Amino acid sequence: MGGLVESKAKGKPQKQICQVVLDHFEKQYAAELGDAWASIRDVLTYPLCWQYAVLLNKFSHSSELESTLAVKGYHPAFHGSLPYLPSSFKCYISRTSGRFPTQKHQAGKLKEYYLLNAASLLPVLALEVKDGEDVLDLCAAPGGKSVAILQCACPGQFHCNEYDDLRSRRLKQTIESFIPEPLVNLIMVSTLDGRQIGDLKPELYDKVLVDAPCSNDRSWLFSSDVQQATLRLIQRKELSSLQFELLRSAIKALRPGGSLVYSTCTLSKAENSDVINLILNSCSNVMPVDISEMAKAVSHEFSFLSGTQQHELLVLPEKGRAWGPMYVAKLKKM
């Protein structure tokens, strides 16, 4: 098994770590994150300590499910001290690792919950969508954030875009599994190149989410195909220019006064603060938005990189709070 290291636990073989990716991350993240990297690496490379949040589906509400979660030791992930927390938005987490059973897709029946990394809800809470606003989810697959947005509010127009054909099919499936008929018909799903949406739909949206294609640290570490992993690491350098172009497109698609949230699931500075700084330095019509109040309100459940600016945060996975990595930044169009 060229380049694969086997990690065994509890007597059965676990996923295998891809050594080329680990070596690459080791160099970069030890330099960027210093002492914090060793404990982050311990979480990322040990799936048995990973945690999964349970996002409830308000369109298929079950009080029985909430009781079951309480009995199993789950508690609400988010609390009233948040600047934005709609009462219809309910997410449960547990301090222990492991995963609540997944729900099978049943025709004609909506799913009651969505399992995800709790940190991936922070971009949605930062976006603060209100009823009637026109919203664009620029890179929407597999659909968890789109579903979460619809738990928060009922947009006027909701445009979910995913350039990749296969991922776009998954996005449609997710929406159909969680959102009732009449509402599904109000959601526009497209497969456009996100870099062109700004020119195709200028100044059309109040809120835009750019959950950008990125080095997905968590899944890349477990690449089963060493050649594909090596290729990804070579092409990784090009991601930041794609992310920059997607952000520029998103800014064009925003109405003046509208805001956007940019997120990734990587620790990489090149794909996070570097991209946002480049946007702030090159687009005179964009201002950073302070999200430190949101970060403070969730700091008991999430661990953050210190020393970031007020318009951004980076969730660092740690044992018992194994959420992230998740970078979030918020900008406003003047």
Side-chain angles (χ1 to χ4, degrees), residues 65-130:
L65 172 61
E66 288 195 65
S67 327
T68 308
L69 287 165
V71 168
K72 285 182 179 283
Y74 280 78
H75 60 276
F78 304 106
H79 299 282
S81 55
L82 271 160
Y84 169 88
L85 185 67
S87 57
S88 56
F89 181 85
K90 290 183 174 178
C91 174
Y92 285 84
I93 57 175
S94 157
R95 284 275 171 184
T96 53
S97 59
R99 184 200 280 253
F100 201 70
T102 346
Q103 270 185 310
K104 294 275 178 283
H105 178 70
Q106 289 177 286
K109 199 164 180 275
L110 294 178
K111 292 188 179 181
E112 292 177 1
Y113 57 88
Y114 191 103
L115 298 179
L116 39 65
N117 185 323
S120 63
L121 295 171
L122 296 176
V124 173
L125 293 175
L127 196 59
E128 302 194 357
V129 173
K130 294 174 184 66

Side-chain angles (χ1 to χ4, degrees), residues 262-273:
Y262 172 76
S263 60
T264 74
C265 54
T266 180
L267 296 161
S268 177
K269 188 171 161 291
E271 297 176 48
N272 293 340
S273 48

Side-chain angles (χ1 to χ4, degrees), residues 109-279:
K109 199 164 180 275
L110 294 178
K111 292 188 179 181
E112 292 177 1
Y113 57 88
Y114 191 103
L115 298 179
L116 39 65
N117 185 323
S120 63
L121 295 171
L122 296 176
V124 173
L125 293 175
L127 196 59
E128 302 194 357
V129 173
K130 294 174 184 66
D131 287 346
E133 288 183 328
D134 296 326
V135 181
L136 166 64
D137 188 348
L138 191 66
C139 317
K145 292 181 182 71
S146 301
V147 165
I149 286 169
L150 291 164
Q151 303 305 316
C152 293
C154 184
Q157 291 189 50
F158 192 22
H159 180 180
C160 298
N161 182 68
E162 177 54 54
Y163 187 43
D164 184 276
D165 242 4
L166 199 67
R167 286 171 61 83
S168 161
R169 283 209 288 276
R170 212 176 137 198
L171 168 67
K172 279 191 181 124
Q173 232 173 12
T174 302
I175 290 171
E176 282 160 16
S177 304
F178 285 90
I179 310 302
E181 255 321 302
L183 236 162
V184 168
N185 303 329
L186 301 175
I187 301 167
M188 179 174 127
V189 178
S190 66
T191 52
L192 300 165
D193 182 336
R195 293 169 292 191
Q196 290 162 7
I197 282 186
D199 291 324
L200 296 168
K201 300 185 178 291
E203 305 203 342
L204 215 67
Y205 303 98
D206 303 297
K207 300 276 163 80
V208 179
L209 175 63
V210 184
D211 184 40
C214 66
S215 311
N216 184 333
D217 295 356
R218 218 179 252 255
S219 77
W220 281 23
L221 275 167
F222 293 93
S223 306
S224 52
D225 180 338
V226 179
Q227 268 156 320
Q228 184 204 38
T230 310
L231 190 62
R232 273 174 172 170
L233 293 173
I234 294 165
Q235 293 170 340
R236 190 177 188 211
K237 297 174 192 67
E238 291 151 34
L239 280 170
S240 52
S241 59
L242 168 64
Q243 291 153 346
F244 178 78
E245 287 175 54
L246 288 169
L247 274 166
R248 279 239 304 244
S249 173
I251 292 161
K252 284 182 188 168
L254 267 181
R255 294 188 176 121
S259 49
L260 81 80
V261 167
Y262 172 76
S263 60
T264 74
C265 54
T266 180
L267 296 161
S268 177
K269 188 171 161 291
E271 297 176 48
N272 293 340
S273 48
D274 288 359
V275 175
I276 293 295
N277 289 336
L278 199 57
I279 285 287

